[in-house]
Amino acid sequence: MSSARTALRRAGLGTALAATAVLTAAGVASAHVTVHPDSYAKGATDGALTFRVPDESDTASTTKVQLFLPTDHPLLGVLVSPHDGWTAKVTDTKLKTPVKTDDGTITDAVSEITWTGGKIGPGQYEDFDVAFGQLPDDTARLTFKTLQTYSDGKVVRWIEEAADGDEEPENPAPVLKLTSDTGTSAAPKASATTSAASASDSTARGLGVGGLVVGVLGLAAGAFAVVRSRRAQ
């Protein structure tokens, strides 16, 4: 009986350690600049994107965020939402290839948005909202390279892109996937609280499934150990 209890305790300890590893890995994987939602229909109109910027430093605060918008497949009609404590500087660029729309030909588009004046403390994050009039319909993804500057002078370059099938790079750029949905009108943007709750719910579900799998494996290992112990006795 003592051997069986010891085997079960070891199996339980292994399960707990495995679950902790799952939670730790999930935390590390999410600590980079991301765009929400992460997908939209091609050619969608009158929508908005939220860029979430976490502060990964233990001692320094984030004091500057530079977001670079693609100009080969430009976003049209870009507007920046006011953000308490932050000042946004919007830079326009003349397009190499003008875009024809129902309202006329567009020759300029926003290529960069820089937020300064605010502060994101260690262990905190900020959401920066950007509205658009229309997304391109001639590409499957949009990459938003981002530079994050800290109060100690460090600059993190979120500019790396992974090819399909490759592992996520160390400093990935936020990527928006464009789907082939027939609808072109985007649904009204949810509030930041709703978006955060949705993201948290999805994360919780994913971790819950992972934990369930780990738990089942742990119980199976414990049962096997008990049977083997009894046979040995």
Side-chain angles (χ1 to χ4, degrees):
M1 182 64 69
S2 178
S3 298
R5 288 180 178 176
T6 299
L8 285 175
R9 287 177 181 175
R10 289 177 178 175
L13 177 60
T15 300
L17 291 175
T20 300
V22 170
L23 293 173
T24 301
V28 172
S30 63
H32 52 69
V33 178
T34 52
V35 59
H36 304 273
D38 60 2
S39 66
Y40 249 112
K42 291 182 178 180
T45 58
D46 300 327
L49 300 172
T50 296
F51 294 89
R52 177 161 296 176
V53 182
D55 188 289
E56 296 182 299
S57 175
D58 293 330
T59 57
S61 299
T62 297
T63 57
K64 182 179 180 181
V65 177
Q66 294 171 268
L67 177 69
F68 297 90
L69 286 68
T71 55
D72 52 347
H73 303 286
L75 281 71
L76 306 181
V78 170
L79 296 174
V80 180
S81 175
H83 203 70
D84 290 343
W86 294 85
T87 299
K89 177 183 177 182
V90 179
T91 302
D92 289 343
T93 295
K94 185 170 289 295
L95 300 175
K96 293 182 178 179
T97 303
V99 180
K100 295 182 178 180
T101 69
D102 294 339
D103 297 324
T105 300
I106 306 298
T107 59
D108 298 85
V110 175
S111 59
E112 179 183 346
I113 304 173
T114 300
W115 287 275
T116 57
K119 182 176 68 174
I120 307 173
Q124 301 178 342
Y125 74 90
E126 287 279 1
D127 284 344
F128 297 91
D129 298 329
V130 177
F132 61 82
Q134 183 174 339
L135 294 177
D137 58 5
D138 56 352
T139 185
R141 56 191 287 160
L142 296 174
T143 300
F144 299 90
K145 297 183 178 182
T146 307
L147 301 184
Q148 181 178 9
T149 301
Y150 285 87
S151 56
D152 59 4
K154 179 181 178 181
V155 178
V156 180
R157 301 167 62 84
W158 302 101
I159 62 174
E160 298 178 357
E161 301 180 58
D164 292 339
D166 289 351
E167 293 184 357
E168 184 178 74
E170 183 177 356
N171 294 317
V175 174
L176 177 69
K177 298 177 182 178
L178 298 182
T179 64
S180 299
D181 293 349
T182 55
T184 58
S185 295
K189 179 180 178 295
S191 65
T193 302
T194 303
S195 298
S198 178
S200 299
D201 182 63
S202 298
T203 301
R205 290 180 181 178
L207 292 176
V209 173
L212 179 61
V213 173
V214 171
V216 171
L217 292 176
L219 291 175
F224 176 75
V226 171
V227 173
R228 185 172 63 179
S229 175
R230 289 179 177 177
R231 288 180 178 177
Q233 292 177 353

